[in-house]
Amino acid sequence: MVGRGELTDKAWAVIEPLLPPVQGGGRRWRDHRQVINAILWKLRTGAPWRDLPERYGPWKTAHERLRLWTKDGTWNKILDRVIVKDDAVGDLEWIISVDSSVVRAHQHSAGARKKGDAATKSKPSSSTARDSADPAAD
């Protein structure tokens, strides 16, 4: 049974041939399908890598595999294959939504002076502190 948001058998059949062979020397690599499910979970939730559920294995494995696959072009091959393209044009149609809401901040968040606080009152600069009536000041 496939969990919510995880690769189906049909999707895995498309992706599996695009992946590099499991490396032979050293320790055995974690299953590619489990790692891709981990990467998809991370991308879907936006959670930090360290919050990856245990069922996907160590977060460092998924992070490192994504980094390696991005560097060698494997991840781009996967994305090119699985992204649905518009048959009429052959290009992707991206729809972007921008939130234009405004969040007002309290006046104190901008560093406004507090009433009655002598320590925060501005002090006159030396150039404006001169008495204009004093002829020696000119």
Side-chain angles (χ1 to χ4, degrees), residues 4 38-49 51-53:
R4 187 171 81 75
I39 293 168
L40 293 176
W41 181 89
K42 161 64 170 110
L43 296 175
R44 184 176 66 252
T45 63
W49 280 108
D51 291 345
L52 194 69

Side-chain angles (χ1 to χ4, degrees), residues 11-21 32 36 69 72-82:
W12 177 244
V14 171
I15 293 172
E16 186 177 24
L18 303 172
L19 296 170
H32 283 325
I36 289 181
W69 287 344
D72 71 6
T74 300
W75 194 248
N76 282 336
K77 285 192 275 186
I78 293 170
L79 293 179
D80 287 343
R81 180 64 191 242
V82 299

Side-chain angles (χ1 to χ4, degrees), residues 49-50 52 57-67:
W49 280 108
R50 291 178 185 265
L52 194 69
W59 70 268
K60 286 184 178 185
T61 300
H63 178 267
E64 184 66 14
R65 195 84 55 92
L66 177 60
R67 194 184 69 73

Side-chain angles (χ1 to χ4, degrees), residues 113-133:
R113 285 189 301 226
K114 297 175 183 137
K115 289 184 179 179
D117 188 1
T120 59
K121 288 187 179 177
S122 63
K123 297 178 178 132
S125 68
S126 60
S127 62
T128 59
R130 285 189 254 150
D131 184 11
S132 59

